[in-house]
């Protein structure tokens, strides 16, 4: 199962849990799975089929260029981060 | 004093032929003869000239706009305002995240409200610039002036005037019902901050304020747009991203991208400030309304200061605790940054970088994005990170002082390594933080005594280290083989500092041919695949990678072709150092040059393609050692000696890497000592000229010594990490620490100009 | 009303040139828009960046601060006049080899200024070069490589 880190300001949706072990082979599946146990997570992170424009997901420390389509391995870490740009 | 370059500290052990050499750039001859075509140099038949009317107020409602007199002036061909935007969707995205359409368009041409002095309201096209300027003064705008909010703390105050009645604070994307100037609040949390501080023997907490500064590129923004009679739009402009401009024009005008072609002209500096799109959509609208005539718009320097950039002022509190042995056990930051008129300050990036150089178990970081009545901020080289480092790197310095530990030693003791968890969550991959700190410590600058004073002032030394994560994103490249054994390379990254050379070097290395045999060219948006901005230190990394892919594609096709000619299995053929040969039959060999001459008789042309959106991004660390002299009577500070050390992963073209390190450091010095938007109470910038907004000149500086550290990035074929930004992160803090060591004043405000230093000395 | 244009006779890069200029037009504007020599750049239009530097009768001037009509009878050299039929001038070559430009927008001004310095003082010190070039802003390079390029050109020209 992947280790999903819940952003501190989103922990209100996960009963204060900071980390959850979630089954899923892509970020999309992970979010779907999270939504099952913690309703509201999907709306917070996604807009239709995509991550919200101002949110990034990092799998094993790498911000995914393909958003929720990113593959997740058995022991992956998943982080949701504010999106950033550079100069 | 002239010092020679330090030999590079090379840790990557691959051997290269072309990578790592210092050839002359392909656009060099054009740029030293005045032939290079920058945006403002463009001349087209039937050209008209556009000028923008800008708000004289920092915050006001627009009651009415009357163009009658302006339109009556001889030579005036068209006027446009926000009314000319067509109906469209609610959200705009031009490759850099979503923003509400009214905010995006509002920064191009304001609709009912102006939110900063200098905000564009309307534009005029006329037969000459002088006529267009005269017409501006004939446009009658009625305003209802409102109170202005100029800093993050003012904006966050309970009774602050509100900029947007539709802006409600988001808490990590949770929409609250609070209508305020705080667009967003987010938090990173790791460990237990209270427990951490409880275990600390020394705790330092300070609050810092930094002023708004500008990127300061020498070339003003410019655009020429033609809305052709067939409804196709052609835009020639100075930009960091031609595809970004295409998308922005498309979003603003509700015209499909297929009808828009953007030709990126040579660009006279950007540093992040030429990612945002300003006058381009208005120029296109003017062109249409003026009867499909091309319209050229070039900003004045004052327009550049008041209407573009800047990077935010900030208000930050940083608290850190360490044990007597020098282990940092807790760190807390509260970062509030000015977004300018519309949400989107770089506070997220600042938060990501603030403690990233260190391995700290207990961290809390809060970030606030606050709208104020200043121009909408644009990226500026590692946006957000220099502000944060100005705070954190001074607090660390003070801890070192309190514990009586050498400041580099303290940093080394706590340095982040591969496997260290960052406060925002992810774990560091292979990074060069330790290697950079070690190179600083060993450097003869750090080993030698303080540089003697030149003018009888007090001297001091300071250090700092900064991090920038760098980005990847999409790049495309095509390579076609010429029949004389050279190749043409077409890519989409506008070249601001020699990237054509470093990208071409990737291809030359793969093909085993000389750098001179690769002819790179930056193409328009109709001629190359989607390529994201030249920014985020991504160009050599990602577009270089696309060139690497394209060259490998060419190589595979060359091998196939040689195999066909020889009638052997392609698997038995290899290409090394520009020669194709059979692995089994030594008789069968042929140079790339010989093969290229036969292409048209053996199956036709060979074209390789590379299209990437790479992961494997390598963040870069960069540190500075600086000796300053401070005049204790006046507070004037001189830089006596300066050394910058950066991890490049692999320096493809070391001279251009050094150039980035020197340029970024010197921008940091200007930011540290002089640069600032100086505001009147009602929100007018009092110094929108290069005379009063004082950037460093050659006379203000010594040589900037460089050490390139190369801790290869395992995520890139040649080990590249981006180098454009990390170098601006900590010079400000290093200068502050040097001032402290010289005169004992801990600088909580930036710029650290003579007045600020004297204030601190007297307090 | 557009003012009446003035006829001006001048020499630019060794060639006799005649043009018509409005009295309010700067020499920079005339060079770029009337004579079509766009090598001189506009960074500020108020004499503070040096991107528009030209050599006028042996003196370095910011062409944005000179009126076009003042060019009457003058001998002007712009960046376009630095290279010769034999190729690049040593100062141009030195800028390329020393990577003294990044974006290159400041380069025309630096080349015109540095060439004038080396013509007056063939072997300037680092201090002297920094002093001489203080009117030319470069935001990209931090000046290090520019100063080194001028020193390299001095050496090359002496040999
Ligand atoms: S344009 Fe003339 S000095 Fe800047
Ligand atoms: S090279 Fe860009 S301003 Fe000098």
């Amino acid at each position: 199962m992947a280790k999903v880190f819940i952003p501190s300001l989103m922990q209100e949706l996960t009963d204060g849990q900071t980390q959850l072990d979630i089954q899923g082979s892509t970020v999309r599946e992970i979010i779907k799975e999270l939504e099952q146990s913690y309703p509201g997570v999907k709306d917070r992170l996604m807009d239709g089929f995509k991550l919200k424009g101002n949110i990034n997901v990092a799998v094993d420390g790498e911000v995914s260029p393909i958003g929720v389509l990113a593959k997740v391995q058995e022991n992956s870490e998943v982080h949701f981060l504010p999106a950033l740009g550079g100069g | 004093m002239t010092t020679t370059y330090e030999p590079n500290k090379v840790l990557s052990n691959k051997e290269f032929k072309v990578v790592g050499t210092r050839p002359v750039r392909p656009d060099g001859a054009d740029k030293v003869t005045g032939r290079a075509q920058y945006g403002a140099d463009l001349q087209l038949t039937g050209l008209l000239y556009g000028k923008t009317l800008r708000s004289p107020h920092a915050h006001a409602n627009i009651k009415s706009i009357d163009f009658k007199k302006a339109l009556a002036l001889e030579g005036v061909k068209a006027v446009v305002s926000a009314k000319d935007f067509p109906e469209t969707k609610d959200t705009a995205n031009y490759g850099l995240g979503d923003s509400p359409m009214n905010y995006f368009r509002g920064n191009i041409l304001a609709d009912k409200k102006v939110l900063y002095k200098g905000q564009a309201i309307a534009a005029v096209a006329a037969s000459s610039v002088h006529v267009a300027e005269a017409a501006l003064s004939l446009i009658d705008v009625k305003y209802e002036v409102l109170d202005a909010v100029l800093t993050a703390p003012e904006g966050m105050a309970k009774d602050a005037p509100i900029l947007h009645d539709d802006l409600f604070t988001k808490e990590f994307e949770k929409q609250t019902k609070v209508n305020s100037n705080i667009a967003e609040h987010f938090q990173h949390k790791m460990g237990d901050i209270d427990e951490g501080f409880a275990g600390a023997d020394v705790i330092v907490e300070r609050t810092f304020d930094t002023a708004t500064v500008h990127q300061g590129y020498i070339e003003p923004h410019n655009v020429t747009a033609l809305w052709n009679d067939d409804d196709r739009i052609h835009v020639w402009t100075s930009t960091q991203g031609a595809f970004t401009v295409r998308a922005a024009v498309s979003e603003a005008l509700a015209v499909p991208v297929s009808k828009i072609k953007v030709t990126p002209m040579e660009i006279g500096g950007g540093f992040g400030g030429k990612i945002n799109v300003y006058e381009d959509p208005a120029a296109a609208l003017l062109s249409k309304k003026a009867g499909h005539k091309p319209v050229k718009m070039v900003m004045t320097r004052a327009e550049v200061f008041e209407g573009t950039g800047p990077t935010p002022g900030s208000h930050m509190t940083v608290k850190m605790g360490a044990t007597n042995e020098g282990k940092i056990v807790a760190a807390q930051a509260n970062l509030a940054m000015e977004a300018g008129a519309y949400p989107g300050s770089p506070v997220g990036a600042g938060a990501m970088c603030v403690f990233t150089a260190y391995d700290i178990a207990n961290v809390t970081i809060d970030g606030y994005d606050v709208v104020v009545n200043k121009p909408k901020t644009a990226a500026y080289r590692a946006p957000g990170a220099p502000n944060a480092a100005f705070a954190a790197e001074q607090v660390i310095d003070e801890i070192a002082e309190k514990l009586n530990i050498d400041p580099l030693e303290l940093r080394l003791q706590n340095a982040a390594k591969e496997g260290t968890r960052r406060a925002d969550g992810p774990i560091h991959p292979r990074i060069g933080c330790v290697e950079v700190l070690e190179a600083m410590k060993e450097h003869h600058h750090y080993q030698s005594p303080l540089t003697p004073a030149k003018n009888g002032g007090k001297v001091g030394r300071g250090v700092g280290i900064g991090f920038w994560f760098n980005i990847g994103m999409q790049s495309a490249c095509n390579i076609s083989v010429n029949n004389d054994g050279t190749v043409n390379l077409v890519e989409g990254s506008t070249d601001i500092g020699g990237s054509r050379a470093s990208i071409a070097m990737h291809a030359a290395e793969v093909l085993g041919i000389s750098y001179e045999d690769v002819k790179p060219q930056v193409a328009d948006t109709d001629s190359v695949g989607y390529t994201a901005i030249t920014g985020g230190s991504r160009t050599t990394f990602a577009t270089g990678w696309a060139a690497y892919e394209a060259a490998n594609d060419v190589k595979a096709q060359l091998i196939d072709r040689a195999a066909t000619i020889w009638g052997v299995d392609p698997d038995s053929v290899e290409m090394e150092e520009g020669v194709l040969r059979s692995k089994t039959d030594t008789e069968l060999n042929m140079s790339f040059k010989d093969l290229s001459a036969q292409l048209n008789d053996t199956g036709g042309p060979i074209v390789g393609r590379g299209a990437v959106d790479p992961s494997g991004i390598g963040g870069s660390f960069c540190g500075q050692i600086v000796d300053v002299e401070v005049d204790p009577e006046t507070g004037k500070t001189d830089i006596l000696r300066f050394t910058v050390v950066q991890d490049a992963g692999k320096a493809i073209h070391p001279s251009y890497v050094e150039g980035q390190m020197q340029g970024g450091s010197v921008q940091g010095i200007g930011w540290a000592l002089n640069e600032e938007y100086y505001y009147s109470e009602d929100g007018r910038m009092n110094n929108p000229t290069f005379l009063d907004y004082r950037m460093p000149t050659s006379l203000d500086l010594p040589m900037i010594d460089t050490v390139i550290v190369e801790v290869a990035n395992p995520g890139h074929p040649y080990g590249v990490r981006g180098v454009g930004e990390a170098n601006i992160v900590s010079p400000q803090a290093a200068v502050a620490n040097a001032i402290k060591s010289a005169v004992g004043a801990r600088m909580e405000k930036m710029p650290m100009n003579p007045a600020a230093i004297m204030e601190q000395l007297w307090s | 009303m557009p003012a009446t244009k003035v006829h001006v006779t001048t020499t630019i890069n060794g060639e006799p040139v005649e043009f018509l200029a409005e009295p309010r037009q700067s020499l920079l504007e005339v060079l770029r828009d009337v004579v079509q020599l766009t090598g001189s750049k506009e960074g500020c239009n108020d004499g503070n960046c040096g991107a528009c530097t030209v050599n006028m009768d042996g003196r370095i001037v910011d062409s944005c601060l000179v009126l076009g009509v003042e060019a009457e009878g003058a001998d002007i050299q712009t960046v376009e006049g630095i290279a010769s039929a034999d190729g690049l001038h040593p100062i141009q070559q030195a800028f390329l080899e020393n990577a003294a430009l990044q974006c290159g927008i400041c380069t025309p001004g630096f080349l015109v200024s540095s060439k004038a310095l080396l013509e007056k003082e063939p072997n300037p010190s680092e201090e002297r070069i920094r002093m001489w070039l203080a009117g030319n802003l470069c935001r990209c390079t931090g000046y290090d490589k520019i100063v080194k390029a001028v020193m390299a050109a001095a050496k090359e020209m002496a040999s």
Side-chain angles (χ1 to χ4, degrees):
Chain A
M1 280 203 269
K3 196 176 278 181
V4 180
F5 289 69
I6 309 298
S8 58
L9 297 178
M10 231 175 83
Q11 289 163 10
E12 56 183 24
L13 294 176
T14 57
D15 307 330
Q17 308 256 30
T18 59
Q19 263 180 41
L20 291 162
D21 290 335
I22 305 285
Q23 197 70 51
S25 64
T26 63
V27 173
R28 194 199 329 254
E29 286 177 24
I30 298 258
I31 294 176
K32 211 167 142 194
E33 197 60 34
L34 270 172
E35 178 72 17
Q36 295 286 325
S37 327
Y38 306 103
V41 166
K42 182 161 177 287
D43 266 5
R44 192 72 170 272
L45 296 173
M46 292 180 68
D47 207 356
F49 292 99
K50 297 185 311 185
L51 278 184
K52 284 191 181 158
N54 300 317
I55 291 186
N56 276 340
V57 65
V59 178
D60 296 324
E62 282 273 356
V63 171
S64 157
I66 51 176
V68 295
L69 304 181
K71 291 254 183 303
V72 175
Q73 309 298 329
E74 189 52 32
N75 293 312
S76 287
E77 287 192 356
V78 177
H79 294 271
F80 298 101
L81 303 166
L84 309 164
Chain B
M1 186 185 62
T2 312
T3 347
T4 47
Y5 292 117
E6 281 294 295
N8 293 336
K9 178 163 177 148
V10 179
L11 297 171
S12 72
N13 47 16
K14 274 197 203 157
E15 290 287 324
F16 298 104
K17 280 242 141 42
V18 178
V19 164
T21 61
R22 302 172 186 246
V24 165
R25 58 200 286 165
D27 52 330
D30 283 348
K31 285 193 171 146
V32 295
T33 53
R35 272 194 282 272
Q37 277 243 319
Y38 293 82
D41 303 337
L42 187 71
Q43 283 294 337
L44 295 173
T45 181
L47 190 64
L48 300 175
Y49 298 84
K51 270 308 218 198
T52 297
L53 178 72
R54 293 173 185 278
S55 167
H57 305 296
H59 196 188
N61 289 319
I62 301 173
K63 299 310 249 182
S64 64
I65 309 180
D66 185 349
F67 291 110
K68 245 185 270 110
K69 282 198 200 135
L71 280 167
L73 184 69
E74 194 184 325
V76 171
K77 308 292 182 191
V79 299
V80 294
S81 69
K83 302 246 168 331
D84 292 285
F85 286 130
E87 281 283 313
T88 191
K89 53 195 176 130
D90 294 338
T91 320
N93 186 334
Y94 55 107
L96 306 162
D98 289 337
S99 55
M101 185 62 76
N102 62 330
Y103 292 179
F104 168 63
R105 281 180 167 177
N107 205 41
I108 297 167
L109 290 169
D111 194 4
K112 297 177 184 91
K113 206 175 177 197
V114 283
L115 297 156
Y116 56 96
K117 176 177 186 293
Q119 185 167 6
I121 297 170
V124 177
S127 53
S128 82
V129 179
H130 302 289
V131 174
E133 273 166 357
L136 294 185
S137 61
L138 298 174
I139 301 172
D140 186 16
V141 187
K142 298 257 185 297
Y143 299 95
E144 175 195 3
V145 180
L146 306 167
D147 285 341
V149 170
L150 293 176
T151 63
E154 275 178 38
M156 293 166 88
K158 279 260 164 342
D159 51 351
I162 297 289
L163 271 72
H164 301 278
D165 57 16
D166 59 350
L167 182 65
F168 298 87
T169 306
K170 277 187 188 167
E171 298 248 319
F172 193 79
E173 290 301 303
K174 182 176 85 178
Q175 196 67 70
T176 67
K177 297 211 165 60
V178 189
N179 179 208
S180 104
N181 295 321
I182 303 173
E184 166 129 28
H185 165 226
F186 62 85
Q187 187 177 62
H188 300 305
K189 224 173 168 169
M190 189 166 69
D192 184 325
I193 194 75
D194 297 328
E195 218 169 87
F197 281 118
D201 298 311
V202 294
I203 293 177
V204 174
E205 176 173 0
R206 282 187 182 271
T207 296
F208 301 88
D209 287 279
T210 74
T212 304
V213 299
H214 198 274
Q215 293 79 350
Y217 31 80
I218 305 299
E219 177 205 36
H221 294 260
N222 57 73
V223 57
T224 304
L226 171 64
W227 192 310
N228 214 330
D229 297 84
D230 59 5
D231 277 339
R232 286 174 190 275
I233 300 174
H234 193 165
V235 177
W236 296 259
T237 187
S238 170
T239 177
Q240 289 180 239
F243 286 89
T244 311
V245 173
R246 186 179 74 167
V249 171
S250 163
E251 293 282 78
L253 304 181
V255 171
V257 291
S258 56
K259 293 211 173 228
I260 303 165
K261 169 171 164 176
V262 177
T263 300
M265 305 297 287
E266 294 297 340
I267 168 172
F271 315 112
K274 286 181 183 157
I275 297 172
N276 286 4
V277 173
Y278 298 99
E279 292 181 317
D280 306 41
L285 281 174
L286 282 172
S287 171
K288 184 183 188 188
K289 281 184 107 178
H292 307 285
K293 298 276 193 312
V295 175
K296 173 151 118 178
M297 303 182 82
V298 182
M299 288 194 197
T300 63
R301 180 52 52 184
E303 287 183 283
V304 172
F305 275 120
E306 297 186 326
T308 76
T311 206
S314 50
H315 179 75
M316 305 168 293
T317 300
V318 167
K319 180 178 173 186
M320 294 175 94
T323 63
N324 282 329
E325 293 69 46
K327 171 111 199 84
I328 302 173
V329 288
Q332 187 168 16
N334 219 306
L335 311 173
M337 293 194 194
E338 299 163 4
Y342 300 96
S345 79
V347 65
M352 190 161 153
C353 295
V354 60
F355 300 128
T356 314
Y358 305 105
D359 181 357
I360 311 171
N362 306 296
V363 183
T364 302
I365 303 165
D366 280 276
Y368 298 88
D369 183 33
V370 188
V371 294
V372 298
N373 293 112
K374 290 181 178 177
K376 173 180 161 51
T377 54
Y380 177 19
R381 218 167 190 156
N387 308 49
F390 179 67
E393 286 295 290
Q394 284 201 74
V395 169
I396 296 232
D397 200 64
E398 196 166 340
I399 289 180
E401 209 180 295
K402 286 213 152 93
L403 293 175
N404 204 14
I405 301 179
D406 173 89
L408 281 180
E409 195 47 55
L410 179 72
R411 286 172 172 84
L412 265 167
Q413 263 185 51
N414 293 282
K417 302 175 193 63
E418 184 172 3
T420 301
R421 190 173 292 284
R422 300 188 332 218
D424 58 331
I427 285 175
H428 275 299
R430 182 72 175 101
I431 47 169
C433 184
V434 169
E435 286 80 359
V436 165
L437 288 166
E438 276 171 353
M440 290 168 74
K441 221 179 121 187
E442 287 158 16
H443 195 277
H444 60 70
H445 181 173
Y446 202 65
Q447 298 295 337
S448 52
L450 273 177
T451 314
K454 276 192 189 164
N455 304 306
K458 300 222 160 139
V459 293
R461 174 171 299 163
V463 297
I465 186 162
F467 169 75
W468 184 249
F469 45 86
N470 297 329
I471 61 174
M473 299 181 75
Q474 312 80 5
S475 285
C477 174
N478 304 322
I479 296 178
S480 39
V481 179
N482 295 314
N483 63 8
D484 61 354
T486 63
V487 299
N488 299 335
L489 184 158
V490 179
E491 44 106 351
S493 288
T494 53
D495 179 356
I496 317 186
S499 56
R500 282 182 189 88
S502 62
I503 290 162
M505 289 166 82
H506 278 76
E509 187 72 45
V510 171
L511 294 172
I513 59 180
S514 74
Y515 161 80
E516 287 72 22
D517 288 342
V518 180
K519 293 189 292 169
Q521 185 196 147
V522 180
D524 62 63
T525 53
D526 279 4
S527 309
V528 67
Y530 184 90
T531 299
I533 54 168
T534 296
S537 300
R538 64 175 290 280
T539 308
T540 299
F541 172 77
T543 309
W545 194 327
Y548 172 89
E549 293 287 338
N552 270 308
D553 189 9
V554 166
K555 189 172 164 180
Q557 295 179 55
L558 289 168
I559 287 174
D560 262 0
R561 189 65 60 87
T564 307
I565 293 171
W566 292 328
V568 299
D569 181 2
D571 287 344
S572 70
V573 179
E574 63 183 6
M575 183 178 171
E576 292 285 340
E577 292 178 23
V579 178
L580 294 123
R581 59 169 65 87
S582 158
K583 291 181 201 164
T584 49
D585 182 348
T586 50
E587 296 281 283
L588 296 180
N589 65 75
M590 165 164 52
S591 70
F592 167 52
K593 198 167 180 169
D594 289 340
L595 177 54
S596 68
Q598 303 178 39
L599 290 183
N600 287 349
D601 306 323
T602 56
I606 285 182
V607 179
R609 61 176 197 104
V612 300
D613 189 351
S615 50
I617 299 149
S620 177
F621 285 87
C622 182
Q624 289 85 6
I625 310 166
V626 54
D627 291 4
V628 301
E629 173 175 358
V630 184
D631 180 342
E633 311 274 289
T634 63
K636 182 175 183 299
T637 302
D638 286 308
I639 307 289
L640 298 177
R641 185 171 178 187
F642 197 100
T643 304
V644 48
V645 181
Q646 183 169 359
D647 176 15
K650 177 70 205 171
I652 300 289
H653 190 304
S655 298
Y656 294 148
V657 172
E658 291 158 2
Q660 291 296 314
M661 294 162 69
Q662 293 165 332
S665 293
V666 166
Q667 285 183 313
I669 291 171
W671 191 340
L673 293 177
N674 285 303
E675 295 178 33
E676 103 180 271
Y677 274 49
Y678 189 69
Y679 276 97
S680 69
E681 228 158 76
D682 57 357
R684 289 161 212 256
M685 183 188 186
N686 283 328
N687 57 337
T689 67
F690 279 147
L691 181 63
D692 299 317
Y693 182 95
R694 217 181 151 286
M695 309 199 304
T697 70
S698 52
L699 200 51
D700 300 323
L701 298 159
M703 289 297 184
I704 308 293
D705 289 344
T706 57
V707 180
I708 301 173
V709 170
E710 295 186 322
V711 179
N713 169 20
H716 180 275
Y718 297 142
V720 167
R721 297 169 190 275
V723 293
E725 297 170 282
N727 38 57
I728 201 175
V729 176
S730 57
Q732 299 83 331
V735 168
N737 293 336
I739 291 172
K740 170 68 174 58
S741 110
V743 292
R746 183 51 75 193
M747 301 306 299
E748 292 176 323
K749 284 203 180 100
M750 197 156 59
M752 299 170 277
N753 56 25
I757 291 177
M758 292 320 288
E759 192 186 306
Q760 204 66 11
L761 279 178
W762 287 336
S763 71
Chain C
M1 277 295 100
T4 322
K5 290 187 176 171
V6 178
H7 179 264
V8 176
T9 308
T10 184
T11 305
I12 303 179
N13 299 328
E15 299 287 332
V17 173
E18 294 177 43
F19 59 79
L20 293 174
E22 293 176 31
R24 66 179 169 188
Q25 284 183 300
S26 69
L27 175 59
L28 176 62
E29 191 181 339
V30 169
L31 285 171
R32 288 179 55 81
D33 294 350
V34 182
V35 191
Q36 311 286 334
L37 288 173
T38 55
S40 307
K41 303 301 178 193
E42 179 179 320
C44 68
N45 209 25
D46 56 16
N48 285 299
C49 77
C52 65
T53 307
V54 300
N55 191 317
M56 192 166 171
D57 296 326
R59 277 182 39 233
I60 296 302
V61 297
D62 290 328
S63 63
C64 68
L65 295 183
V66 176
L67 288 173
V69 295
E70 291 178 77
E72 176 66 38
D75 186 1
I76 293 166
Q77 194 185 54
T78 70
V79 67
E80 285 94 340
I82 295 182
S84 67
D86 302 333
L88 296 179
H89 186 277
I91 185 73
Q92 292 169 311
Q93 200 58 44
F95 265 59
L96 291 181
E97 280 163 14
N98 289 274
L101 54 142
Q102 286 180 31
C103 79
I105 198 84
C106 67
T107 309
F110 273 98
L111 289 170
V112 171
S113 293
S114 320
K115 177 166 177 273
L117 169 64
L118 295 181
E119 278 163 3
K120 276 198 205 342
E121 302 171 32
N123 189 20
S125 65
E126 180 193 332
E127 197 60 30
R128 184 68 185 135
I129 296 170
R130 288 188 180 277
M131 182 84 84
W132 184 272
L133 296 178
N136 291 82
L137 288 179
C138 174
R139 189 59 158 174
C140 298
T141 64
Y143 306 101
D144 182 297
K145 290 187 190 302
I146 292 177
V147 173
K148 287 192 174 113
V150 177
M151 289 163 134
K155 217 166 160 192
E156 176 64 31
M157 287 163 75
S159 66

